[in-house]
Amino acid sequence: MGAYLIKRLLLIIPTLFGIMLINFAIVQFVPGGPVEQLIAQMTGTAVESTARFSGSNEGEALEFDTSDTSSTSTYRGSQGLDPDIIKEIEKMYGMDKPAHERFIKMLKDYLTFDFGESFFRDQKVTSIVLDKMPVSISLGLWTTLLVYLISIPLGIRKAIKDGSRFDIVTSSIVTIGYAIPNFLFAVILIVFFAGGRFYDIFPLRGLFSENFDELTLLQKIVDYFWHLALPLTAMLVSGFAGLTFLTKNSFLDQVNQQYVITARSKGLTERKILYGHVFRNAMLIVIAGFPSAFIGILFSSSLFIEVIFSLDGLGLLGYEAVIMRDYPVIFATLYFFSLLGLIMGIISDFMYSIIDPRIDFEAR
């Protein structure tokens, strides 16, 4: 197993390189980069002849005289700006260098986890990500735990009652829930329970109340889950369908194995066979998939939920970074998510071998 883990760890390097290269290349062709964003701010809000902006890598403030109308730049909206100003903006954002040089420099910095500074927040990207991470981890972790707590018992019950009315009804409900996008269900919850049209029971945004620091420990816990109720519900509805059917199918597959028939011939009760023999083998793929399931929920499903409920996490951060073309934040979060996803994939394989020693990835 050691050699296999080393191979998988070494494969992280070319995989990360490929992910970053493809996304970096795509971004070069997307209009409206940070230079154009700043030009739009200057030309759209400059009432006086001087506009002042800050946010360069060195943190200095720059003053630009926009009275010269001789610009011949190809940037959209750059008419009326001196070419020297545009060159200085490009230098401020590092866009004065060729794309390949910027990409190589970015990779060198990322190897030492130096993600630079945000173009528009005047903060280091690392501090921004660490500040937003607890919200996303909290949302993703609770959702994953609840999905498992619901899906495993439900899947086992469906396997026992396979073909019965209970199985058919629950399958229909689960399928309908899976078909409803979580962001659409989130809007429905807001309309019904967050003061949208009917009831005003749950808060619409944030994870804490304004007086959170003044509450007792018990009140803080209640307030925290009170704010989480609607986001978690929206993510759960479409989150447990796949795991429920996976659990059911795993149990059905194991029930038809020879060792189950042998156990029955020895006179063991169905309960002892189910939970003493079948459960461990059937839960192998379910339990080992926990890291991957957590990553999937954390980095995909939470995006729209964080935006809709104004939860200040990584999903909302990534959305705002894309809108603002904040490249350091975009690429840093992409690098972090990709690295974490690859590591979690390795942990999943490792858990397979721990749960069932008969699985030998190295031999394969």
Side-chain angles (χ1 to χ4, degrees):
M1 189 64 183
Y4 172 78
L5 290 176
I6 292 175
K7 291 178 182 178
R8 287 292 303 273
L9 288 172
L10 291 176
L11 279 174
I12 289 179
I13 299 174
T15 305
L16 265 180
F17 177 82
I19 293 172
M20 299 303 296
L21 177 62
I22 292 173
N23 284 274
F24 185 87
I26 292 174
V27 163
Q28 305 310 308
F29 298 98
V30 177
V35 176
E36 289 186 340
Q37 290 283 333
L38 185 51
I39 289 175
Q41 292 181 28
M42 295 173 64
T43 56
T45 60
V47 178
E48 301 177 359
S49 60
T50 301
R52 184 179 179 87
F53 294 88
S54 64
S56 65
N57 293 334
E58 291 79 14
E60 73 271 16
L62 302 177
E63 289 191 356
F64 299 130
D65 183 6
T66 61
S67 59
D68 194 327
T69 60
S70 61
S71 174
T72 59
S73 173
T74 58
Y75 287 109
R76 182 183 302 176
S78 63
Q79 289 79 6
L81 293 180
D82 192 306
D84 292 336
I85 295 176
I86 297 175
K87 289 180 180 179
E88 193 164 356
I89 296 174
E90 290 177 337
K91 184 178 180 180
M92 183 174 69
Y93 289 139
M95 297 297 173
D96 58 326
K97 299 177 181 178
H100 69 278
E101 290 185 13
R102 287 186 278 119
F103 180 70
I104 293 173
K105 182 181 183 303
M106 181 183 71
L107 290 182
K108 289 180 179 178
D109 292 339
Y110 283 12
L111 288 175
T112 59
F113 292 93
D114 179 11
F115 299 112
E117 294 186 3
S118 168
F119 285 161
F120 303 103
R121 292 174 180 262
D122 292 329
Q123 285 182 271
K124 287 188 175 295
V125 174
T126 304
S127 64
I128 297 175
V129 172
L130 291 177
D131 184 53
K132 311 297 184 183
M133 192 180 296
V135 175
S136 294
I137 290 180
S138 175
L139 188 61
L141 186 60
W142 282 116
T143 302
T144 307
L145 289 176
L146 289 174
V147 164
Y148 269 73
L149 288 175
I150 294 172
S151 298
I152 292 177
L154 181 59
I156 295 173
R157 187 67 177 173
K158 286 174 63 63
I160 296 174
K161 299 290 186 180
D162 184 41
S164 66
R165 184 177 179 181
F166 172 82
D167 181 39
I168 296 173
V169 172
T170 53
S171 294
S172 301
I173 296 174
V174 169
T175 303
I176 293 173
Y178 182 74
I180 301 176
N182 56 9
F183 65 88
L184 177 60
F185 194 74
V187 174
I188 295 174
L189 290 176
I190 290 174
V191 171
F192 278 89
F193 301 108
R197 205 169 181 80
F198 295 92
Y199 303 100
D200 189 5
I201 301 174
F202 297 98
L204 181 58
R205 60 183 64 230
L207 280 182
F208 309 104
S209 299
E210 294 182 358
N211 62 336
F212 184 79
D213 294 333
E214 303 172 3
L215 303 176
T216 63
L217 178 60
L218 180 60
Q219 290 174 329
K220 287 182 178 180
I221 295 174
V222 173
D223 181 76
Y224 170 71
F225 283 105
W226 181 50
H227 282 76
L228 270 180
L230 294 187
L232 285 181
T233 303
M235 294 181 67
L236 280 173
V237 168
S238 60
F240 64 83
L243 187 59
T244 299
F245 288 120
L246 177 63
T247 304
K248 175 191 173 181
N249 293 333
S250 297
F251 267 77
L252 289 177
D253 179 64
Q254 292 298 319
V255 165
N256 296 321
Q257 296 295 325
Q258 184 63 42
Y259 74 89
V260 176
I261 299 174
T262 302
R264 284 172 178 163
S265 67
K266 291 182 179 180
L268 296 179
T269 63
E270 286 295 320
R271 185 178 183 84
K272 188 171 182 61
I273 293 173
L274 182 64
Y275 294 101
H277 298 276
V278 174
F279 184 81
R280 178 184 176 183
N281 295 327
M283 284 295 98
L284 172 62
I285 189 173
V286 176
I287 297 174
F290 182 87
S292 299
F294 172 68
I295 291 298
I297 292 173
L298 178 61
F299 298 144
S300 58
S301 301
S302 63
L303 170 60
F304 292 112
I305 300 301
E306 288 185 11
V307 173
I308 291 172
F309 289 99
S310 299
L311 300 176
D312 197 13
L314 295 175
L316 184 60
L317 172 67
Y319 172 78
E320 292 176 345
V322 170
I323 296 298
M324 294 295 297
R325 302 296 194 271
D326 198 345
Y327 289 165
V329 176
I330 293 174
F331 288 120
T333 51
L334 174 66
Y335 179 85
F336 175 76
F337 291 164
S338 301
L339 179 61
L340 190 57
L342 292 170
I343 292 175
M344 284 298 180
I346 298 175
I347 293 176
S348 294
D349 290 346
F350 184 71
M351 289 183 66
Y352 273 113
S353 63
I354 294 296
I355 295 173
D356 190 347
R358 295 173 298 175
I359 298 178
D360 190 354
F361 290 101
E362 190 170 342
R364 294 184 179 184

